[in-house]
Amino acid sequence: MSPKIPQAFQSAKSILCDLVRFETVSGTSTDEINAYIASHCEAAATDRIIAPGPVPGQQNIAFRFGPDVSGGLILSGHTDVVPVQDQKWSHPPFVATERDGRIYGRGTCDMKGFLASMIAAVPKLVDAKLKRPIWLAFTYDEETGCLGAPYLAEEIAKQATDIEAVIVGEPTEMSVVDQHKGAFVEYVTFNGVSAHSSLPWLGLSANEYAIRFSAQLITLNEEFSQEVPVGEGDRMTTLNLAQINGGTAHNIISDKCRVMWSLRCAPGQDADAIVQRIRAMARALEAEMQRHATEASVEFETVFDVPPLAANTASTALRLGLGMTGQNAGQSVNYGTEAGVYQKVGLPTIICGPGSIEQAHKPDEWIAVQQLDACDSFIERLIAHQSV
C-alpha cells in the first residue's frame, strides 16, 4: 500500500464515543469494529496484517505506518469488552456519556480509550514522515484469556524485524508496567463408576477423588502463601479452586466430577512446572482409581494459558517507556494482559495506557478525559521518537 491523505482529524474523545457503540463483548464478531478501524487506518497505512483465529468472524488486524525497516514500535490494544449483564448502570453502557470530566460507557477504560488515542494519531503518523515504523495492532477476545493475541503476535514477529518496543495500552494511569502474573485455567474431570449408594463397593465415586484432588490444591496454595511476606501479593503465586461439579442424586455414586482450578503465577516462577506438578497429583489419583476400576480415568482440558510478563531491566521497551514517562523503574500489577503473549514470541514489551484498572469491568465504567489527553501526548512523543 502507498500512504494516502487520511480523513480529517478526529479527537480521541470523539472516536471513543464511536467505539463504545460497538457491543464487542468477548466472543462476538469483530467485523463491524474492524471495518470502522480500517476506515481510519487502511488508506494511510503502508502495510496491513490480518491474523484470524479459529472462529469465523473474529480477526486481529494491524497497520504499519512508516517504512519497512528495523526499530519499529507496536501499539496494541484489544477490541473486546466484558459483559454488562446483571450490572446496575446509571448510564447506557453502550452509549458514551460525558460528565464532569469523565466519559462513561463499557470499555471506555478497558481499553477503548487507548484504541481511540491510537486511531486519533493516524493523521499525525502520516504527517510525521516516520524514519522507523509504528504499528497499530488490534486484537480480539483478550478478556476471555488472550485468545486472539497469539495469532497476531506470531504473525507480526515474522514480518516486523528488530522491534524496539511493544506497548500494550491497558489502564495503568499512563505509568509503565513491566511485570505481571500469568494466568492458567484448567478443567480436571474425574471419571468413576456409577452404582446405587447402598452398594458402594460396586462403584467408584468420582466426587471423592475430585475432593481429594481439591484438598491437595488447597495445601499447595498454602505452601505458596508461605513463600512471600504478607502484603507483597504481587509476588505471590496463587491457586484458586474455582468450581467443583459432580453427582446427580443422593442415592447414586457419582461417576463424573469436574474441577476447575486456576493459577496466577508470579513473574519469575515456572508456571509450566507448577502445572505439571498439579497434573501429576491428578494422575497419581487416577492410578489409584484404576486399581479399583480399570475403566476409571482423569481428563485435562486447558481453558486458557496467559504467560506472565517478566521484568527485564535490559529491555529496550522498558528503557523507552521510562524515558517517555520520566519514571525511574517499571511497576508490577496483579492482573494479566496480552503483554506476556508478545514477550513470549521474543518482542520487548511493556504496558502503559490511560485510565485506572479500578474503573474497569464495573457498572458505570469510566475514563477521565485528562487521561485521554495524557495518552495522546504520550503517543505524540513516540511519533517524535520514530521521526529522528
Side-chain angles (χ1 to χ4, degrees), residues 366-384:
W366 58 271
I367 190 170
V369 174
Q370 187 178 40
Q371 283 286 299
L372 286 180
D373 294 340
C375 186
D376 290 346
S377 297
F378 177 76
I379 294 177
E380 287 175 0
R381 293 195 295 276
L382 294 174
I383 293 172

Side-chain angles (χ1 to χ4, degrees), residues 285-360:
L285 291 170
E286 178 185 46
E288 181 180 330
M289 294 168 69
Q290 290 176 343
R291 287 196 291 270
H292 297 282
T294 56
E295 65 268 40
S297 65
V298 174
E299 300 170 354
F300 304 93
E301 178 189 350
T302 299
V303 179
F304 63 78
D305 183 3
V306 178
L309 176 64
N312 179 356
T313 55
S315 167
T316 54
L318 178 60
R319 185 163 59 246
L320 175 65
L322 297 181
M324 291 289 157
T325 62
Q327 289 174 242
N328 294 320
Q331 300 176 357
S332 175
V333 293
N334 280 329
Y335 55 85
T337 75
E338 295 170 335
V341 175
Y342 284 108
Q343 188 180 67
K344 190 173 183 178
V345 299
L347 301 177
T349 307
I350 57 171
I351 308 166
C352 185
S356 168
I357 196 66
E358 293 181 2
Q359 273 74 58

Side-chain angles (χ1 to χ4, degrees), residues 51-83:
V55 179
Q58 292 186 311
Q59 294 183 327
N60 307 286
I61 56 174
F63 300 91
R64 189 190 77 217
F65 298 85
D68 185 14
V69 297
S70 62
L73 304 179
I74 300 171
L75 307 183
S76 182
H78 61 83
T79 59
D80 65 313
V81 299
V82 297

Side-chain angles (χ1 to χ4, degrees), residues 1 6 19 36 67 74 130 141 156 199 213 240 292 310 323 363 375-376:
M1 305 177 195
L19 292 174
Y36 175 87
I74 300 171
L130 295 166
D141 281 11
I156 207 166
L199 304 170
F213 172 70
N240 179 41
H292 297 282
C375 186
D376 290 346

Side-chain angles (χ1 to χ4, degrees), residues 126-183:
V126 175
D127 291 343
K129 297 180 175 58
L130 295 166
K131 294 184 179 180
R132 295 177 303 282
I134 293 180
W135 289 83
L136 303 184
F138 305 85
T139 61
Y140 72 87
D141 281 11
E142 186 270 351
E143 298 290 4
T144 49
C146 299
L147 303 183
Y151 300 100
L152 181 60
E154 290 176 7
E155 193 61 35
I156 207 166
K158 294 176 188 175
Q159 298 192 32
T161 58
D162 295 326
I163 291 295
E164 181 180 5
V166 179
I167 300 173
V168 177
E170 292 281 358
T172 66
E173 297 184 291
M174 298 310 302
S175 295
V176 173
V177 168
D178 66 340
Q179 55 184 325
H180 67 58
K181 295 181 179 181

